[in-house]
Amino acid sequence: MFAALFGGLVFSQSAEFTQQYLQRLGGATDEMRAVVEQFETSARASDLSPDEAIGRLKQNSDEVAARQGTDAETNRERYGDLERRYDALRSTTPLFRPFEIVADPDWTIAERAAGDYRPAIPATGDGVLLALGGFIFGWWCGAGVHGAATMRKRRKSRAGVTDGEDEILQ
């Protein structure tokens, strides 16, 4: 019974954590988009493509300018990763979003979401279904462990082995 309650609790909270993670991911994506778009606008104002501007900066003999090129390249990659994860998560059915996060997490955002996480009672359909699924999964796991322990006791009693003898035999 404990395993079933624990499973229900964990799965029900996965819906709330997913919501908080999604909000953080969306905010990070929006902010990174603003940074990348500002760089691309500056590049176009100089009649350069973003790739040409990055290349020019990275080849600059001034160390600060060269570092800005590397930073701009990193920002574009980060924005692409954030946007890909955000789009994938939003396009996934809410019931399966926790599994999408597990499959492809952004660890920085997940750690921050976990640090600020506050449990909540599942009030959405997917939260209730996840709680029920976790309860059933926990019940199944608990029943399996209980069944295995019961079988071991039966085997020992049929063989006439006591707990003390069993420890010696092992």
Side-chain angles (χ1 to χ4, degrees):
M1 183 63 145
F2 174 75
L5 292 174
F6 182 74
L9 177 68
V10 169
F11 274 56
S12 73
Q13 293 309 297
S14 68
E16 179 61 24
F17 179 81
T18 299
Q19 178 62 26
Q20 292 180 25
Y21 175 89
L22 180 63
Q23 289 173 350
R24 281 185 177 271
L25 184 62
T29 302
D30 291 344
E31 285 304 309
M32 192 55 72
R33 179 185 302 116
V35 169
V36 169
E37 285 177 353
Q38 183 178 10
F39 177 80
E40 291 177 353
T41 299
S42 294
R44 283 189 211 96
S46 298
D47 292 327
L48 297 171
S49 72
D51 289 333
E52 290 170 330
I54 288 172
R56 186 180 285 185
L57 284 169
K58 287 174 72 174
Q59 292 174 358
N60 197 305
S61 61
D62 181 354
E63 186 179 331
V64 173
R67 209 173 288 151
Q68 288 296 313
T70 301
D71 291 347
E73 187 173 55
T74 301
N75 288 341
R76 289 178 77 204
E77 290 170 5
R78 175 78 172 137
Y79 170 61
D81 288 344
L82 289 169
E83 188 172 48
R84 177 184 51 77
R85 283 187 177 103
Y86 183 71
D87 290 344
L89 198 55
R90 290 218 3 128
S91 66
T92 301
T93 303
L95 184 62
F96 296 112
R97 285 180 180 166
F99 305 105
E100 178 71 31
I101 293 173
V102 169
D104 185 25
D106 183 292
W107 289 109
T108 303
I109 292 174
E111 287 172 6
R112 294 293 303 267
D116 293 336
Y117 178 74
R118 297 294 174 263
I121 296 172
T124 60
D126 54 295
V128 172
L129 286 174
L130 283 165
L132 180 61
F135 183 84
I136 292 168
F137 179 73
W139 188 278
W140 180 74
C141 288
V145 170
H146 177 71
T150 302
M151 284 179 89
R152 184 168 187 230
K153 284 181 184 178
R154 284 183 189 160
R155 282 189 199 140
K156 287 190 327 186
S157 68
R158 285 182 188 154
V161 176
T162 65
D163 284 337
E165 291 173 344
D166 185 44
E167 290 175 12
I168 293 170
L169 291 175
Q170 290 179 0

